[in-house]
Amino acid sequence: RSCILVSIGGKNIMLDCGMHMGYNDDRRFPDFSYITQNGRLTDFLDCVIISHFHLDHCGALPFMSEMVGYDGPIYMTHPTKAICPILLEDFRKITVDKKGETNFFTSQMIKDCMKKVVPLNLHQTVQVDDELEIKAYYAGHVLGAAMVHIKVGSESVVYTGDYNMTPDRHLGAAWIDKCRPDILISESTYATTIRDSKRCRERDFLKKVHESIERGGKVLIPVFALGRAQELCILLETFWERMNLKAPIYFSTGLTEKANHYYKLFITWTNQKIRKTFVQRNMFEFKHIKAFDRSYADNPGPMVVFATPGMLHAGQSLQIFKKWAGNEKNMVIMPGYCVQGTIGHKILNGQRKLEMEGRSTLDVKLQVEYMSFSAHADAKGIMQLIRMAEPRNMLLVHGEAVKMEFLKGKIEQEFSIDCYMPANGETVTVTTNPSVPVDISLNLLKREMALGGPLPDPKKPRTMHGTLIMKENSLKLVSSEQALKELGLNEHQLRFTCRVQLQDPHSDTDTLHRIYTHLKSVLKGYTIQHLPDGTVMVESIVIKVSSSTEDPNTKVLLLSWSYQDEDLGSFLSTLLKKGLPSGLC
Amino acid sequence: VENLGEVSILKASSGFVSTNICLWLLNAVHQPGSHCVCLLLSRYKDLHVYQLEHPTQVIEWTSGKTVCVAGFTSSKNEILELRLPLKLFADENKGLCAERDFKVVHGGFTDAPVRCLRHIPGTRCVVTNDGLSSDLQVWDLGGDDSDVIRRTGSVDGSRGVSEGGSRIAARLSSQPQVLHGAESAGVRLTQLTSGQTVYTLETDSADPLSSLHFVSDAVFLAGCSNGKVYIADTRTSAAPQLSPPPPSSGESVLWWTDASAGPSCLDPSSCRIVRLSSCGQTVISDLRNPGGAVSRAQLDVQTRRCNADDVRVSWAPALDDCIAVSGFSGAVQIYSSSVWTTELQEAQPLFEHRGHAVSSQSDDGVPVFVTSHVWHPERPRTLLSAASDGSVHVWDWVDQSAAGC
């Protein structure tokens, strides 16, 4: 389950709110106690952002917003907003109606949750409040999937969600500009894989379909209304045309309407070729693919049927499955993940006997094929994304740390950036170098320039002396005198005086000269002057010599220094207390 | 459909596979040049196509399910241990396994090219050579606790600098040992842990090597680029047997060798040697009579450009009389030598894997060459092949001939 909390510039953001599909109890939900031990989350979160409609990214959203409690904005793209509630409702039905669970969100909760959604457009900056802004980028992967750029002041984070760097038949590849975020957060579940080509997957699919058809069998392909269904239809249509095949291909009408409806709405989210095709004709006007009627399922001979829902948990696809399951010539091809509790999940785990309603059992004799078409970024894809965005730090989530040292090393070496891999529950702190814009007073600037040295260079730091005034939202750098004047304060000077007694039989003038020589030899690199007014100056420290009234061989050295030279002053007094070396002249 | 690009049908015409129809589909999404992939549904039982970030010249089994590949650019390179897709091995429940991807199980960095890579059986060690000198680098592939491949040491070669780089061979032994050398004179067997040399091959002339092979625990072959093959026994200091180059071998002709696998030969002298020349002449000899030829053939290899580093000839470990040849072009050819005779005749391949050339990713007009191939040690018709464009294919071909291997 994906659920990441980011604190940036004082703002708290939740990235995705997914469900863990492997657990049946509360472990399937993210642990919101990280945010607060009790009570609603509204005060602790500035916003929630959902990357795409897969349940491991949005499955826990209604639970979070309605059962734990959150009333702030939930951001997601338009297609995600349209598709999310459908999947959530499907999922709710399976969990509650089929499995009889109780601690789960209701249909009304899904509706209430979606009311809090604020839709996002691609590449449009949205101000969540006057400090926090977000922007969505195209992520590929599934319809409506987005990567999000989050910025507060001069600090920023990019969260990728699931993305894909290679285009497929109906979706483009992820893209982002050189936004240079402080952190790029990427999923790394597939970071250590090298993907088999799309061609080989398609070949496998066509081979299986062809083999079944050749032996007179029927092929059922349960699909969700969008995405893969279109790709597979295009593939089969082309194949049928070239191989001159005669067996009928059907898709259920519910599928067409929904698919066409969504594609019309979200045409900008598919790739260019699909858009060109769609503009010219209806997405589903295929020569070899016709609308399905439930009576066709009993027709003899080979056929291929695309039907919903995708996990065989209800509806038409389940009805057809029940009819065809008993014949080993037939085949069912599952093109995606199935949630636990569904028939799809059971047959993918090898179950050959299924318990149906009314205690009847169904023998599964047909061939079951699991094909994965979903696209995730592999190691190469992650490197490509880093090259595009140029982040200052990299954060990989959902991988096993032990299995990702190599990738971490690769990223650190190639890009010279730090790469973090926190485990669930771990907090990572990344130091950023925010630039703080400050206005400098003209006088101070002139004074600094007059001091000489190289001209100010934006790439080279320069130490200077001044006072920083923070007033309302502005930062001003002025000279100390100006600051004091503005504050109506008088400047005070701290001066230290110290008397050191010294035994020296020479005259005052000679003693002073001896002190001068001694200090010159010890304090190399310092400005030491022997002034005509009878003093020695070390930097700005003044040394005077006078004789004690009782004994002319006892000299009293008067050292005086200002606060700025405190260290040197203390050093001198300690040094002189030790007396003068005898070999001086 | 017409907006998705052109589609055309081609009937495959090589030898045994003329009855198959191959389907070509153009990539629907805009790419600089058009891409074609030959699906050939009935030619392959399994076909997997991968793209590495950098091409490899080495593919070496480190277990029944993992291979090592490595880059050969002049600066920084990666060594990767890849696990083959689970789907390939899921024989009974193949349908239920959707896993088609390579998994990078271990990875490491090296500052030099990797021209030769050998796994030391029974260990998690691999040994590499950079082709610039005869020294070897020793690496630990790592276990479950880390995915980083680390350099653990080196083995000195017999000379300071050598033009061709060292060939390497290894077999299972109680003490990990590696056989290596760039030339016939000076091939050594070195103990990995102590660095001690336990055997050195002495030959009259120093012939550059194209390969080294163990045919048993103690007997090995040193295949030279000039066509000579030395047969030596590490237990004795006696002079090695010499199998002279096949006749009609010219000055500029290069030769590559393979020996049929040691473990399957109960008696090392019944092992067979195949020698392939840069003109495509192939000679098979028996170790019992290394000077003679059991059979010959003239293979149809395009010898326009032949990079000595790329050429590979290998016996199929689990099929009788089958040989794979690659490196002359973008194809891997499989020949059945059972029909060859002592007369030099042209031979047609039993199967040709043209996937690398056909699905080439390079669009600058430079032809793609296969840089390496290996057979799976147990699965009869499964091979891996790599090409100069970084592609790596895993394929299980279907033997269409009546008189098959």
Side-chain angles (χ1 to χ4, degrees):
Chain A
R1 63 183 114 51
S2 292
C3 187
I4 300 167
L5 298 171
V6 174
S7 288
I8 174 175
K11 304 286 172 186
N12 292 335
I13 300 136
M14 179 185 284
L15 300 170
D16 279 339
C17 191
M19 180 85 78
H20 195 304
M21 311 310 274
Y23 292 118
N24 282 326
D25 50 28
D26 282 351
R27 284 174 300 176
R28 62 182 153 203
F29 299 120
D31 186 355
F32 299 112
S33 67
Y34 280 110
I35 305 174
T36 175
Q37 294 281 352
N38 43 35
R40 301 178 73 78
L41 306 176
T42 318
D43 293 335
F44 297 91
L45 293 174
D46 291 283
C47 71
V48 173
I49 305 174
I50 303 291
S51 62
H52 63 289
F53 61 65
H54 276 160
L55 290 172
D56 55 342
H57 289 257
C58 72
L61 191 62
F63 174 79
M64 192 270 300
S65 71
E66 306 311 305
M67 291 171 83
V68 177
Y70 169 74
D71 300 310
I74 301 173
Y75 290 96
M76 59 180 80
T77 61
H78 285 273
T80 312
K81 182 178 177 198
I83 301 166
C84 232
I86 304 172
L87 285 182
L88 287 169
E89 180 54 36
D90 253 4
F91 180 49
R92 191 206 66 76
K93 266 202 218 115
I94 298 169
T95 315
V96 172
D97 300 348
K98 297 276 167 189
K99 288 157 65 178
E101 300 218 12
T102 45
N103 185 28
F104 214 75
F105 46 84
T106 62
S107 296
Q108 187 57 45
M109 287 182 186
I110 297 175
K111 294 195 178 92
D112 293 336
C113 171
M114 297 312 287
K115 286 192 194 124
K116 299 170 185 170
V117 168
V118 179
L120 292 172
N121 287 315
L122 282 180
H123 307 162
Q124 213 180 44
T125 306
V126 170
Q127 295 287 143
V128 176
D129 59 35
D130 49 8
E131 284 168 314
L132 169 61
E133 57 183 57
I134 61 178
K135 184 152 73 155
Y137 288 91
Y138 191 82
H141 184 59
V142 289
L143 193 71
M147 305 189 289
V148 186
H149 181 252
I150 299 148
K151 194 157 111 151
V152 179
S154 62
E155 292 177 310
S156 61
V157 165
V158 168
Y159 171 59
T160 64
D162 284 342
Y163 63 104
N164 182 34
M165 299 302 287
T166 45
D168 59 31
R169 282 182 198 275
H170 76 295
L171 292 171
W175 179 87
I176 193 165
D177 50 19
K178 213 180 285 215
C179 51
R180 299 218 172 98
D182 290 291
I183 310 176
L184 174 60
I185 304 175
S186 170
E187 296 274 342
S188 55
T189 334
Y190 294 89
T192 49
T193 58
I194 298 179
R195 280 186 73 71
D196 188 8
S197 70
K198 178 178 65 181
R199 296 293 161 188
C200 287
R201 285 168 209 273
E202 292 176 346
R203 175 192 170 268
D204 210 27
F205 171 71
L206 292 175
K207 188 164 192 264
K208 291 281 175 299
V209 172
H210 190 232
E211 277 166 8
S212 295
I213 297 295
E214 289 280 278
R215 63 174 183 237
K218 296 169 165 57
V219 182
L220 170 66
I221 308 173
V223 285
F224 175 61
L226 287 172
R228 298 303 147 201
Q230 276 67 38
E231 276 210 14
L232 300 178
C233 279
I234 294 168
L235 201 52
L236 279 188
E237 167 89 353
T238 318
F239 187 63
W240 247 241
E241 183 72 18
R242 297 311 152 189
M243 299 286 275
N244 205 17
L245 297 175
K246 301 292 179 209
I249 310 176
Y250 301 111
F251 51 80
S252 42
T253 42
L255 200 67
T256 338
E257 282 158 22
K258 272 204 206 109
N260 273 324
H261 171 69
Y262 286 120
Y263 266 96
K264 278 199 186 103
L265 275 182
F266 305 123
I267 198 65
T268 49
W269 284 84
T270 66
N271 73 20
Q272 208 174 336
K273 274 292 195 299
I274 293 284
R275 247 172 286 158
K276 258 170 61 181
T277 316
F278 192 81
V279 164
Q280 294 192 1
R281 59 167 175 79
N282 184 322
M283 242 350 261
F284 273 85
E285 256 169 46
F286 289 117
K287 203 165 125 189
H288 301 276
I289 309 182
K290 305 281 174 239
F292 186 68
D293 181 276
R294 69 151 80 142
S295 62
Y296 297 172
D298 298 316
N299 288 357
M303 70 172 83
V304 180
V305 176
F306 289 91
T308 53
M311 298 185 256
L312 286 181
H313 52 282
Q316 195 167 64
S317 61
L318 182 59
Q319 270 177 23
I320 301 171
F321 177 78
K322 283 191 214 169
K323 280 189 203 248
W324 294 357
N327 187 339
E328 60 258 329
K329 282 201 221 161
N330 296 340
M331 180 185 283
V332 63
I333 298 180
M334 310 295 298
Y337 178 81
C338 292
V339 158
Q340 233 184 46
T342 56
I343 302 250
H345 189 263
K346 290 181 184 151
I347 59 172
L348 286 180
N349 276 313
Q351 226 175 303
R352 302 301 276 177
K353 268 186 166 34
L354 298 170
E355 253 194 45
M356 313 301 283
E357 303 93 54
R359 299 260 205 106
S360 60
T361 43
L362 180 65
D363 274 328
V364 179
K365 293 207 184 121
L366 58 55
Q367 209 176 316
V368 179
E369 291 285 332
Y370 186 17
M371 297 198 182
S372 156
F373 290 97
S374 78
H376 287 259
D378 56 9
K380 183 166 154 199
I382 293 179
M383 302 299 277
Q384 277 175 298
L385 188 71
I386 299 177
R387 240 168 254 132
M388 264 194 208
E390 288 189 17
R392 289 173 229 271
N393 295 279
M394 189 67 201
L395 201 98
L396 297 171
V397 293
H398 298 139
E400 283 173 67
V402 138
K403 310 280 186 195
M404 302 214 308
E405 251 187 272
F406 172 61
L407 179 62
K408 177 173 138 86
K410 203 165 125 116
I411 291 171
E412 285 173 346
Q413 277 188 34
E414 183 158 339
F415 302 109
S416 302
I417 60 175
D418 284 326
C419 180
Y420 303 89
M421 302 180 311
N424 271 350
E426 215 185 293
T427 306
V428 166
T429 309
V430 175
T431 36
T432 60
N433 256 339
S435 56
V436 183
V438 170
D439 290 327
I440 184 171
S441 80
L442 198 57
N443 281 333
L444 187 57
L445 188 61
K446 279 188 185 163
R447 186 204 292 185
E448 285 297 315
M449 302 276 293
L451 284 177
L455 285 173
D457 182 352
K459 298 217 170 90
K460 293 200 170 97
R462 173 128 167 195
T463 318
M464 50 191 296
H465 191 84
T467 307
L468 184 69
I469 302 180
M470 284 161 56
K471 205 168 171 183
E472 278 127 38
N473 273 329
S474 72
L475 292 163
K476 224 170 30 163
L477 193 63
V478 299
S479 64
S480 311
E481 300 84 19
Q482 188 178 335
L484 287 166
K485 197 158 74 176
E486 280 193 29
L487 294 166
L489 295 171
N490 288 323
E491 187 175 359
H492 291 72
Q493 295 262 347
L494 270 179
R495 245 192 127 70
F496 295 87
T497 330
C498 172
R499 278 182 176 75
V500 176
Q501 282 203 336
L502 209 56
Q503 291 300 111
D504 198 87
H506 300 91
S507 69
D508 288 357
T509 335
D510 285 346
T511 306
L512 189 68
H513 188 80
R514 280 160 58 78
I515 290 168
Y516 171 71
T517 318
H518 176 49
L519 291 179
K520 270 254 16 133
S521 72
V522 172
L523 294 174
K524 296 189 170 69
Y526 285 84
T527 316
I528 306 176
Q529 299 166 292
H530 189 167
L531 299 174
D533 65 356
T535 63
V536 164
M537 275 194 71
V538 180
E539 299 290 329
S540 66
I541 300 167
V542 179
I543 305 174
K544 280 194 181 131
V545 174
S546 56
S547 302
S548 126
T549 38
E550 293 98 20
D551 171 24
N553 285 341
T554 306
K555 301 283 182 253
V556 176
L557 307 180
L558 187 73
L559 280 77
S560 164
W561 60 85
S562 65
Y563 178 66
Q564 278 87 338
D565 291 321
E566 224 255 289
D567 285 338
L568 186 57
S570 308
F571 174 75
L572 277 179
S573 72
T574 316
L575 177 69
L576 292 170
K577 272 186 189 134
K578 292 188 187 143
L580 294 172
S582 48
L584 283 173
C585 51
Chain B
V1 173
E2 57 276 12
N3 292 315
L4 293 174
E6 295 169 53
V7 182
S8 56
I9 302 178
L10 198 81
K11 278 212 163 79
S13 59
S14 75
F16 297 96
V17 294
S18 56
T19 52
N20 297 311
I21 298 171
C22 91
L23 189 71
W24 300 76
L25 277 175
L26 281 171
N27 191 326
V29 182
H30 38 275
Q31 299 264 349
S34 56
H35 288 235
C36 308
V37 170
C38 192
L39 292 182
L40 295 171
L41 298 185
S42 48
R43 291 192 78 212
Y44 296 91
K45 185 162 148 265
D46 284 307
L47 177 63
H48 297 264
V49 167
Y50 304 93
Q51 189 63 34
L52 298 179
E53 284 181 78
H54 301 285
T56 181
Q57 232 174 19
V58 301
I59 310 175
E60 172 79 349
W61 293 100
T62 54
S63 81
K65 296 197 167 116
T66 52
V67 290
C68 259
V69 295
F72 55 95
T73 70
S74 51
S75 57
K76 228 173 173 52
N77 291 289
E78 288 177 6
I79 303 177
L80 303 174
E81 189 186 26
L82 307 172
R83 196 192 64 211
L84 266 60
L86 297 178
K87 198 174 175 74
L88 193 67
F89 303 100
D91 286 311
E92 290 100 46
N93 283 328
K94 222 177 174 78
L96 300 183
C97 183
E99 268 271 13
R100 300 185 62 94
D101 303 332
F102 269 155
K103 185 114 174 86
V104 179
V105 284
H106 293 92
F109 298 101
T110 172
D111 289 326
V114 176
R115 297 280 179 191
C116 192
L117 188 152
R118 210 48 83 205
H119 173 237
I120 310 294
T123 71
R124 284 293 290 158
C125 233
V126 295
V127 175
T128 62
N129 174 261
D130 60 11
L132 304 166
S133 83
S134 59
D135 297 332
L136 309 180
Q137 299 80 41
V138 184
W139 307 82
D140 175 16
L141 291 174
D144 289 330
D145 53 348
S146 157
D147 74 332
V148 178
I149 297 176
R150 287 176 224 279
R151 175 88 181 265
T152 54
S154 51
V155 174
D156 290 331
S158 50
R159 270 168 233 288
V161 174
S162 172
E163 263 190 45
S166 283
R167 303 287 117 190
I168 313 171
R171 79 282 187 246
L172 192 60
S173 63
S174 51
Q175 289 279 349
Q177 292 173 336
V178 62
L179 184 73
H180 59 110
E183 292 169 343
S184 57
V187 169
R188 347 167 129 169
L189 183 64
T190 306
Q191 201 101 282
L192 272 185
T193 36
S194 64
Q196 242 193 325
T197 300
V198 297
Y199 170 87
T200 311
L201 176 64
E202 278 163 26
T203 57
D204 293 330
S205 52
D207 306 296
L209 292 180
S210 59
S211 61
L212 284 171
H213 308 272
F214 272 106
V215 294
S216 74
D217 283 346
V219 177
F220 71 89
L221 301 185
C224 307
S225 329
N226 57 18
K228 285 186 194 168
V229 175
Y230 290 96
I231 304 147
D233 189 320
T234 59
R235 292 167 299 197
T236 87
S237 51
Q241 262 191 299
L242 167 61
S243 170
S248 73
S249 167
E251 275 281 311
S252 57
V253 173
L254 298 170
W255 289 88
W256 297 272
T257 310
D258 190 28
S260 48
S264 68
C265 290
L266 297 163
D267 171 17
S269 62
S270 71
C271 280
R272 283 172 308 157
I273 310 170
V274 59
R275 262 176 279 206
L276 169 70
S277 82
S278 46
C279 324
Q281 204 197 111
T282 314
V283 179
I284 296 175
S285 334
D286 199 303
L287 267 192
R288 283 172 291 211
N289 177 20
V294 167
S295 55
R296 300 191 160 82
Q298 177 60 46
L299 306 187
D300 176 22
V301 293
Q302 293 130 356
T303 55
R304 277 172 276 126
R305 193 211 97 153
C306 171
N307 183 354
D309 273 343
D310 288 342
V311 175
R312 303 270 187 280
V313 58
S314 63
W315 286 105
L319 283 180
D320 292 334
D321 306 324
C322 271
I323 298 169
V325 172
S326 71
F328 292 98
S329 67
V332 180
Q333 296 172 320
I334 316 265
Y335 290 90
S336 170
S337 65
S338 57
V339 297
W340 297 357
T341 62
T342 48
E343 293 290 309
L344 184 65
Q345 282 184 347
E346 282 199 9
Q348 291 302 315
L350 181 61
F351 186 86
E352 218 176 342
H353 174 68
R354 276 176 266 117
H356 293 284
V358 152
S359 62
S360 164
Q361 300 273 315
S362 59
D363 34 34
D364 53 358
V366 175
V368 168
F369 282 82
V370 174
T371 53
S372 184
H373 77 258
V374 288
W375 291 86
H376 190 283
E378 282 136 42
R379 299 168 64 91
R381 282 174 202 82
T382 303
L383 285 99
L384 272 82
S385 52
S388 51
D389 63 351
S391 56
V392 172
H393 295 180
V394 183
W395 38 287
D396 193 326
W397 54 283
V398 174
D399 185 358
Q400 308 266 331
S401 69
C405 275

